Amino acid sequence: MKKDAHFYTLLALSRACGFKKKSAYQLAYASQFVDDAKINLIFLHNMTPKEGLDSVENTPAFFNIATCHAYFRIATFNYEAMVNNTTAFHFVPGCEGQGFTKKLRCKEESSVILDILTEAFQEDNLIRFGMVLHSYADTFSHQGFSGMLSKVNAINNCHVKTVRSLQLIEPFSGFLKNLGGEKFEKYFDKVLPAYGHVQALDFPDLPYLVWSYEYDHSDDFRGARKRVEVDNRERYQRAFRKIKEQLEHYLTLYPHHRDQGIEFTAFDLLWEGLIFNGHDQARIKNWQQLMVKLGLFAKNDKDLWTYKDDTWLKQAFVNYDARRFHNRRVEGAICAGNFEDTPWYHFILAVKWYKKKFQHYCYEHQLFFPK
């Protein structure tokens, strides 16, 4: 899923379920920030927080805190990144089938993500909750693929059925349709690695798309091909109907987040907005207009219905600079005076919590990652 789903759909749905504006924004921001938190090591210049701190090179730091990475940057294309970032947050394993590789295949509402979600309800922590909802949502859209470089992700004969609005990709879509099975496989094996849903391009992340592909469903990858047709419209709507239940449950547990002045019943309009057929920015703009039109936010609430990937970083560090902080390693970060109260710091604590829970529940379900 992309920003239109992880932030804007979740933001609108949270408000519709009854969350206060700021509470809805915080959990929706945490959800989307999972796709933008690329810093994996940051050295602190002026502070030693009480919780979550690491010591790296004899310097206070936060380490192993990334929740995503660029698929095609060689420096981040490694086993640790695939396990701790891609698999943990974006392709939660289904833990089914024979062997390590098959167990890694992502499954809708896998036992691992449901166990983590259950734990997230044990404490009133919107940032932690929003983070888990990101991974939970991705089990719907990324099902069938793995967060590791794996034969599980080697697909063939990919076809698009929806009339698409992404004109820049249309020529490439036509190219795919004209490729035969063997040519498709040969081309993709050379150009695009079998990593995540890379060989399916961004098809799983487009909520309006209907598409299909073939994959090897045999236990030993000997070429037993099976065709799968995917209707993202149905998947996405099913995912967010389930998320609606999770949001309502959270409000039952922690009612102080509830806005008593909101009574919303037009959920059908949200489901329609979710599968709006348009390019990325058009879908985002549609959500922004829809939220104001439906009274979920006011026009002057723009800071609450607009996502910027550096908002939390700016609040946490007085020397924030986009070029400096948009790296895997950041040195000399100067913390704001209220650093321990900032959302970014609490997001980092949530990351550390999540990664421990992920490893624990994978182990519980007989999925063991080699050291």
Side-chain angles (χ1 to χ4, degrees):
M1 294 186 182
K2 294 188 179 185
K3 194 184 305 178
D4 59 299
H6 284 309
F7 179 76
Y8 289 95
T9 303
L10 186 57
L11 181 67
L13 187 58
S14 298
R15 280 291 291 152
C17 287
F19 277 82
K20 295 176 181 177
K21 291 179 180 180
K22 290 184 178 180
S23 297
Y25 173 80
Q26 190 170 58
L27 72 87
Y29 194 101
S31 169
Q32 172 55 34
F33 198 57
V34 172
D35 276 343
D36 296 311
K38 296 181 175 67
I39 298 173
N40 200 49
L41 172 61
I42 184 168
F43 293 94
L44 305 184
H45 178 71
N46 65 325
M47 182 174 287
T48 54
K50 298 177 182 178
E51 187 179 354
L53 193 68
D54 302 298
S55 179
V56 179
E57 300 172 8
N58 296 317
T59 304
F62 292 120
F63 177 62
N64 190 23
I65 58 173
T67 56
C68 63
H69 68 280
Y71 284 159
F72 296 105
R73 288 187 62 186
I74 300 301
T76 63
F77 195 73
N78 56 64
Y79 175 77
E80 287 76 15
M82 287 190 285
V83 172
N84 294 314
N85 304 339
T86 314
T87 300
F89 290 94
H90 310 279
F91 295 85
V92 179
C95 299
E96 295 182 352
Q98 297 297 317
F100 178 71
T101 301
K102 292 287 185 175
K103 288 183 177 181
L104 282 171
R105 194 190 298 268
C106 182
K107 178 191 174 186
E108 179 179 316
E109 291 192 298
S110 72
S111 53
V112 173
I113 195 58
L114 290 179
D115 286 338
I116 297 175
L117 183 59
T118 297
E119 291 234 19
F121 284 120
Q122 303 306 309
E123 181 181 339
D124 179 19
N125 188 324
L126 287 171
I127 291 176
R128 182 184 293 178
F129 182 51
M131 173 183 291
V132 176
L133 286 181
H134 178 111
S135 301
Y136 176 75
D138 272 356
T139 68
F140 288 81
S141 58
H142 293 170
Q143 59 182 283
F145 295 94
S146 162
M148 303 287 282
L149 186 64
S150 168
K151 288 185 178 180
V152 163
N153 302 320
I155 65 171
N156 191 21
N157 230 356
C158 196
H159 291 284
V160 177
K161 292 191 174 182
T162 305
V163 176
R164 308 184 67 204
S165 62
L166 298 179
Q167 296 179 359
L168 292 178
I169 298 181
E170 281 293 351
F172 193 63
S173 297
F175 169 69
L176 293 181
K177 291 179 181 179
N178 292 327
L179 278 179
E182 292 183 1
K183 290 182 179 179
F184 181 99
E185 192 170 44
K186 182 179 180 181
Y187 178 83
F188 269 53
D189 282 346
K190 288 184 177 180
V191 178
L192 297 178
Y195 181 27
H197 61 69
V198 170
Q199 291 193 356
L201 304 178
D202 61 349
F203 296 168
D205 292 332
L206 300 175
Y208 57 83
L209 204 67
V210 179
W211 59 291
S212 63
Y213 65 95
E214 292 178 358
Y215 75 101
D216 189 340
H217 69 96
S218 62
D219 290 333
D220 51 5
F221 297 104
R222 291 190 178 181
R225 293 285 177 178
K226 181 179 181 180
R227 185 151 203 89
V228 178
E229 180 167 307
V230 182
D231 187 339
N232 286 354
R233 300 168 303 180
E234 190 275 330
R235 277 189 179 177
Y236 275 62
Q237 290 184 341
R238 185 171 70 252
F240 279 92
R241 283 190 171 94
K242 290 292 187 70
I243 289 174
K244 177 177 178 288
E245 295 176 7
Q246 311 301 341
L247 292 168
E248 291 170 341
H249 181 55
Y250 195 94
L251 280 178
T252 300
L253 295 173
Y254 308 107
H256 59 279
H257 290 295
R258 185 181 295 278
D259 184 344
Q260 299 296 340
I262 187 169
E263 294 183 8
F264 188 85
T265 59
F267 285 95
D268 285 347
L269 296 179
L270 300 188
W271 309 142
E272 291 176 11
L274 172 61
I275 60 172
F276 178 79
N277 189 333
H279 57 75
D280 293 358
Q281 287 304 313
R283 297 198 307 277
I284 289 173
K285 185 175 181 181
N286 183 66
W287 269 122
Q288 292 174 328
Q289 294 174 340
L290 187 61
M291 284 189 285
V292 173
K293 179 181 178 180
L294 296 177
L296 299 174
F297 287 92
K299 286 185 178 180
N300 59 5
D301 290 326
K302 187 175 182 179
D303 287 345
L304 294 177
W305 48 256
T306 302
Y307 178 83
K308 296 179 180 178
D309 64 4
D310 59 1
T311 299
W312 281 2
L313 284 164
K314 287 179 177 178
Q315 295 171 0
F317 301 102
V318 298
N319 65 332
Y320 171 78
D321 174 80
R323 289 177 297 178
R324 182 179 185 180
F325 277 74
H326 281 229
N327 291 294
R328 302 294 286 178
R329 176 183 174 124
V330 177
E331 299 188 31
I334 302 176
C335 303
N338 65 334
F339 178 77
E340 291 184 301
D341 295 324
T342 62
W344 187 89
Y345 173 60
H346 287 278
F347 181 86
I348 296 310
L349 296 181
V351 170
K352 289 177 172 287
W353 171 89
Y354 183 98
K355 290 186 177 183
K356 289 180 180 178
K357 296 300 179 182
F358 174 75
Q359 291 284 345
H360 170 75
Y361 284 115
C362 283
Y363 182 89
E364 287 284 306
H365 294 286
Q366 305 301 302
L367 176 60
F368 309 107
F369 291 97
K371 298 297 184 181

